[in-house]
Amino acid sequence: MTDFLQDRLKVALLVISLTGLIAGLVLSLAGFPQAADLAWSAGVIPVLAGLLAEIVRSLKGGEVGLDIVAALSMTAALIFGETLAAAVVALMYSGGTLLESFAEGRARHEMRSLLSRVPRTASRHLDGTLEEVPLEEIEPGDLLLIRQGDVAPVDGTLESGQAMLDQSALTGESLPVRLDHGAEVMSGSTNAGEAFDLRATRHAKDSTYAGIVRLVEAAQKSKAPMGRLADRYSMVFLAVTVVIAFAAWWFTGDPIRAVAVLVIATPCPLILAVPVALVAGLSRAAHFGVLIKGAKPLEALAQIKTLILDKTGTLTDGRPVVVAIESYGELSEAEVLHFAAALDQASKHPIAQALVAAAKARGEALPFPQNLDETAGEGISGIINGRKIAVGGSSYIASLVGTAGPELSTREAGEVVVALAVDGKPAGRLVMADTLRTGTADLLAGLRRRGIERILLATGDRQAVAEAVTEKLGLDAVRADLTPDQKVLLVLSERKNGPVMMVGDGVNDAPALAAADVGVAMGARGAAASAEAADVVLLVDHLDRLLSGLEIAQRSKRIALESVAVGISLSVAGMIAAALGYLTPVQGAVLQEVIDVAAILNALRALRITPTVPGLPAVTQAAARSA
């Protein structure tokens, strides 16, 4: 049965039980007790039938839940003529299951665009013309045209002279790579330069991108769903309930006392209060930009012991920024940036766009260049305010003016150098790198205070780059040069140390996100595949929200446990009172409702959780506290 039909069935059962209870009360007050009994029974029987079917399914799956107590109480109440008590229990149970279903489905509907970036068609060369064909029709050996901005639909080899490819979704490397004729091109790579021809070497279903999709699907299927928090205490509570009910009947000879015990034992503090606390936690997390896809991930998030982080776009911003400027001539450092950015306005290269963004962030008014001549992936030249300017890699500038200038004195791993020439002479260099997010060290320290015992880096980047970026973060391990399936293996191997959380933003991270106990995707700029595979999506591009989500999950679970402890303690006290004859079944049902209200009110405290967000102004946190 689909989730949609199950939800509709739960709504129907709630309506039936509520209608039966109200109709019975009206008939009873009108002086028709027998008709009232029939109305109450009519409201109970469908709920009981659905409950028994659910119990059978659970038992076949090897699970024993507290639903058995609810079934026993309704059955015993009907057998011994306590139909009003049975109707109250049926209403409590049907309402509780519907609310629990709501908790499971909360926020899932926000993420439905699975792998939205995967292409559906491709442009294939045929007899001097281009035809648009579905991916299934592409055969090895076909020649495809990959336009600027297109995603390579299949694996292949580069037929054109050169190509600039953004492989960040596959390798985690934020900077585009230049490939020469004959080089292998992975499906899922985005063309960041001029259009090029690709010779297909595999069918679409056998290509890299399709393999990542299959890894995601397999990992999702292999992850066993967590049982309800209530079921963890089911065997003990069930045994205590049966013993007290049987003892009350055995020693007094009055079966109604056993019915009263079973009625008040119906574990609605567990069935109702737990999902209320978790749903409140889900809503509160969403308020702070953390989308948690249901109550189960929220509960799992509260137990995490190991954190595995991707690098590009997760620990780092995922965008190259200017980290240093060198000038060796008449220009100042500001003028070096000014001329380089002004010329790069005409280029779509990611490095060029990053330079333009850096200049505009400083308030520069950039004139538009003239007489442009761009060599894709190498550099660009033109005229700005009457001066001849060239910007590009060191080899490109050297080919134009004979030298790119003095050697760079120091250069860290992962940095890119952009050279500038003005009027035929080297004028300066700009050093660019993908830098750590601000406050990363404080964030990791906060996560450790919240119970994270191990923090690791898992990246497709080179080892030297990964170590250079994370040198001062105090990570427990750095794993580099990893493929998507190797990230999955790392997640699985770390489970020996406790539940694992994986954080990433690219398609290459999606299999590991799905395999982890909790997968967290950077949803603001992350790939659709990682967002769908993940259990948690950070809706704002701030990694510090990870700490907010963890804190909300832990406090929500604690509130849920408090509700359980208080509710079950009161239920046990009520069972003892019912066994001693101080409570009738109807009184027990009413008392159980009072216990439910107390437990739910306590659970609703989760709506007031205000996490401590690093770097968030105090006034903002105060506003969130009052929201």
Side-chain angles (χ1 to χ4, degrees):
M1 186 182 297
T2 65
D3 291 341
F4 177 80
L5 292 178
Q6 286 182 339
D7 289 343
R8 289 297 177 268
L9 177 60
K10 290 173 182 177
V11 171
L13 292 178
L14 176 60
V15 171
I16 290 171
S17 62
L18 180 60
T19 301
L21 178 61
I22 293 174
L25 289 174
V26 171
L27 291 170
S28 179
L29 292 174
F32 300 101
Q34 292 181 339
D37 286 339
L38 289 175
W40 287 327
S41 298
V44 172
I45 291 173
V47 176
L48 180 58
L51 175 56
L52 291 175
E54 183 63 32
I55 290 173
V56 170
R57 281 194 295 268
S58 298
L59 291 176
K60 286 182 178 179
E63 298 178 357
V64 179
L66 285 169
D67 294 342
I68 293 177
V69 179
L72 285 174
S73 65
M74 282 187 272
T75 302
L78 289 177
I79 290 174
F80 293 103
E82 296 290 338
T83 53
L84 175 56
V88 174
V89 173
L91 179 62
M92 288 190 297
Y93 178 79
S94 59
T97 55
L98 183 62
L99 186 57
E100 183 184 36
S101 177
F102 172 76
E104 295 295 326
R106 178 73 168 87
R108 177 69 70 173
H109 67 279
E110 299 290 342
M111 302 304 306
R112 293 299 183 194
S113 55
L114 175 63
L115 298 176
S116 62
R117 71 187 296 273
V118 65
R120 305 299 179 189
T121 62
S123 298
R124 181 170 62 185
H125 289 281
L126 180 65
D127 299 328
T129 63
L130 286 174
E131 61 174 354
E132 203 73 14
V133 296
L135 293 192
E136 306 82 57
E137 296 185 12
I138 298 176
E139 297 289 336
D142 285 349
L143 186 63
L144 309 176
L145 175 66
I146 311 300
R147 301 181 179 89
Q148 187 176 59
D150 283 353
V151 175
V154 297
D155 292 342
T157 57
L158 181 62
E159 289 293 306
S160 302
Q162 288 183 340
M164 288 296 298
L165 291 176
D166 177 2
Q167 298 179 332
S168 58
L170 298 171
T171 66
E173 176 57 61
S174 61
L175 301 175
V177 297
R178 186 184 67 186
L179 300 182
D180 296 322
H181 176 79
E184 293 185 0
V185 176
M186 292 186 293
S187 58
S189 303
T190 301
N191 183 8
E194 299 297 324
F196 65 86
D197 289 332
L198 176 71
R199 182 74 66 181
T201 57
R202 295 181 183 177
H203 291 97
K205 63 183 179 66
D206 299 323
S207 292
T208 302
Y209 199 83
I212 290 177
V213 174
R214 286 192 294 272
L215 281 172
V216 173
E217 293 172 346
Q220 285 179 319
K221 291 178 181 178
S222 67
K223 186 194 298 183
M226 295 178 61
R228 291 185 313 186
L229 183 63
D231 293 339
R232 299 183 185 177
Y233 308 96
S234 58
M235 295 303 295
V236 174
F237 190 82
L238 178 60
V240 170
T241 299
V242 171
V243 167
I244 294 177
F246 181 78
W249 191 355
W250 177 265
F251 288 109
T252 65
D254 183 5
I256 301 302
R257 292 197 182 189
V259 174
V261 170
L262 292 173
V263 167
I264 202 169
T266 302
C268 286
L270 289 170
I271 295 175
L272 289 176
V274 169
V276 165
L278 299 184
V279 166
L282 294 174
S283 300
R284 202 60 182 151
H287 180 78
F288 287 91
V290 183
L291 176 63
I292 303 177
K293 300 181 184 177
K296 291 175 184 176
L298 183 78
E299 184 186 359
L301 183 59
Q303 305 174 49
I304 294 301
K305 296 299 180 185
T306 298
L307 171 62
I308 300 176
L309 293 161
D310 175 48
K311 181 183 76 70
T312 304
T314 303
L315 272 183
T316 66
D317 285 314
R319 305 184 185 95
V321 297
V322 177
V323 296
I325 301 176
E326 287 191 357
S327 174
Y328 31 84
E330 62 182 39
L331 300 183
S332 66
E333 292 183 0
E335 288 174 320
V336 170
L337 176 60
H338 174 85
F339 280 113
L343 184 60
D344 272 338
Q345 290 178 100
S347 175
K348 293 185 177 181
H349 194 285
I351 295 294
Q353 294 303 304
L355 281 174
V356 173
K360 289 184 176 179
R362 299 189 183 191
E364 294 277 355
L366 302 177
F368 198 78
Q370 299 175 335
N371 299 338
L372 295 168
D373 181 18
E374 181 173 10
T375 302
E378 294 284 348
I380 186 172
S381 62
I383 303 296
I384 298 176
N385 294 337
R387 308 190 72 173
K388 188 175 181 180
I389 309 297
V391 178
S394 297
S395 59
Y396 173 78
I397 298 299
S399 68
L400 294 180
V401 302
T403 176
E407 290 296 324
L408 193 66
S409 55
T410 60
R411 178 180 169 187
E412 300 292 337
E415 290 182 342
V416 173
V417 177
V418 178
L420 171 73
V422 177
D423 296 329
K425 298 179 180 179
R429 282 193 178 97
L430 301 102
V431 182
M432 307 190 72
D434 185 12
T435 58
L436 279 176
R437 292 176 181 268
T438 303
T440 298
D442 291 338
L443 168 65
L444 298 185
L447 290 171
R448 290 189 187 277
R449 287 193 297 270
R450 276 283 159 190
I452 302 295
E453 297 173 356
R454 283 176 55 79
I455 301 179
L456 300 86
L457 179 72
T459 179
D461 234 341
R462 302 187 306 276
Q463 185 75 28
V465 174
E467 290 179 350
V469 170
T470 61
E471 181 180 5
K472 299 179 181 180
L473 293 181
L475 300 179
D476 294 286
V478 174
R479 301 286 185 265
D481 298 306
L482 298 182
T483 60
D485 55 335
Q486 288 173 331
K487 288 187 178 183
V488 172
L489 291 176
L490 177 62
V491 168
L492 298 178
S493 66
E494 283 296 324
R495 280 220 175 104
K496 65 180 182 294
N497 299 311
V500 176
M501 175 165 60
M502 171 74 192
V503 185
D505 77 323
V507 176
N508 63 310
D509 300 315
L513 296 179
D517 296 282
V518 175
V520 181
M522 302 294 293
R525 297 203 315 264
S530 60
E532 179 65 23
D535 304 293
V536 180
V537 179
L538 304 185
L539 298 179
V540 292
D541 193 26
H542 299 294
L543 192 58
D544 56 15
R545 294 305 187 269
L546 184 62
L547 181 57
S548 301
L550 182 64
E551 184 175 348
I552 290 171
Q554 292 176 341
R555 291 173 64 180
S556 297
K557 184 185 177 184
R558 184 166 64 247
I559 289 172
L561 289 172
E562 290 172 356
S563 300
V564 169
V566 173
I568 293 302
S569 298
L570 293 175
S571 293
V572 171
M575 283 191 290
I576 295 173
L580 296 175
Y582 293 113
L583 294 173
T584 66
V586 174
Q587 290 172 335
V590 173
L591 177 60
Q592 185 61 54
E593 286 285 8
V594 174
I595 296 173
D596 292 343
V597 171
I600 291 173
L601 288 176
N602 183 67
L604 286 174
R605 291 192 299 114
L607 286 173
R608 308 297 296 175
I609 296 174
T610 301
T612 303
V613 182
L616 193 65
V619 65
T620 305
Q621 298 202 35
R625 191 173 294 111
S626 62

